[in-house]
């Protein structure tokens, strides 16, 4: 147990040790291997944490979408699965598509990823299209962007936090 009430993993502060490098240690093969192993473990933990954040954001998104579409049935593909994150069905027909973004800023690679989500949604053949975000900054940036409105006119931006 990692100390939480849920089944989601959250690293303890003592798990996030910083690894310090020195000239002496970088000449010691065993120390280099040990440091590399620790960094790979931390990277794996971070990836698990990112997936769990995405899963929880998707669950919140589904709750919000159920408020908009109470008759719909929703399917969530899971973090790391390609394609539309959340699909909504009305009377057995795919009518709702939603991508979930857990990024905190709309810049650089994050902007590229979010624009990819927006493109996927715009090209989707559903009646309702949503991009769900967790960041107020991203919500504001997207809603205030004329280019987003022009390129992705059928996508609605919703924030779940």
């Amino acid at each position: 147990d990692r100390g939480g009430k849920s089944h989601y993993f959250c690293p303890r502060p003592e798990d996030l040790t910083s690894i310090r490098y020195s000239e002496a240690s970088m000449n010691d093969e065993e120390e280099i291997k040990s440091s590399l192993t620790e960094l790979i473990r931390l990277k794996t933990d971070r990836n698990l944490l990112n997936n769990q954040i995405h899963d929880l954001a998707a669950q919140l998104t589904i709750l919000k979408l159920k408020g908009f579409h109470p008759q719909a049935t929703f399917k969530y593909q899971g973090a790391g699965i390609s394609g539309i994150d959340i699909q909504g069905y009305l009377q057995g027909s795919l009518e709702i598509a939603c991508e979930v973004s857990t990024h905190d800023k709309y810049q650089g690679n994050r902007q590229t990823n979010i624009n990819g989500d927006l493109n996927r949604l715009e090209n989707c053949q559903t009646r309702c299209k949503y991009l769900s975000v967790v960041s107020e900054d991203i919500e504001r940036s997207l809603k205030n962007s004329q280019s987003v409105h022009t390129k992705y006119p059928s996508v609605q931006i919703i924030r779940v936090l």
Side-chain angles (χ1 to χ4, degrees):
D1 179 28
R2 293 280 185 161
K5 293 181 182 172
S6 74
H7 64 282
Y8 289 99
F9 166 76
C10 185
R12 298 175 300 223
E14 59 268 24
D15 290 338
L16 301 175
T17 58
S18 76
I19 298 173
R20 291 182 172 58
Y21 305 102
S22 70
E23 288 258 344
S25 68
M26 289 296 101
N27 291 319
D28 180 344
E29 183 178 346
E30 288 308 310
E31 185 142 351
I32 294 169
K33 286 180 180 179
S34 175
S35 294
L36 180 57
T37 300
E38 176 66 6
L39 288 172
I40 290 169
R41 186 191 68 75
L42 289 171
K43 182 178 177 182
T44 300
D45 289 350
R46 188 201 73 214
N47 289 340
L48 289 172
L49 188 59
N50 286 341
N51 286 345
Q52 291 165 357
I53 289 168
H54 193 276
D55 289 344
L56 290 172
Q59 293 306 313
L60 272 176
T61 300
I62 289 170
L63 291 174
K64 190 163 201 158
L65 291 173
K66 283 181 178 180
F68 301 154
H69 307 279
Q71 303 302 315
T73 302
F74 293 95
K75 285 185 181 179
Y76 170 55
Q77 304 288 54
I81 305 297
S82 64
I84 299 295
D85 290 328
I86 299 170
Q87 299 172 343
Y89 295 85
L90 290 165
Q91 299 175 341
S93 177
L94 178 62
E95 298 288 336
I96 304 158
C98 182
E99 288 283 6
V100 177
S101 173
T102 59
H103 294 299
D104 56 350
K105 298 283 183 211
Y106 186 60
Q107 60 191 31
N109 287 339
R110 297 172 189 140
Q111 182 175 354
T112 302
N113 292 341
I114 291 168
N115 287 344
D117 288 342
L118 289 164
N119 273 321
R120 201 167 14 266
L121 287 165
E122 189 62 38
N123 294 324
C124 194
Q125 299 300 312
T126 58
R127 188 169 51 88
C128 300
K129 305 168 189 185
Y130 300 94
L131 175 68
S132 173
V133 299
V134 297
S135 163
E136 187 175 350
D137 287 342
I138 289 181
E139 178 189 37
R140 187 178 10 231
S141 294
L142 293 171
K143 287 185 173 181
N144 292 335
S145 169
Q146 187 58 43
S147 68
V148 168
H149 292 291
T150 302
K151 290 180 185 176
Y152 316 109
S154 67
V155 179
Q156 295 181 60
I157 311 300
I158 60 173
R159 182 169 51 95
V160 294
L161 276 183

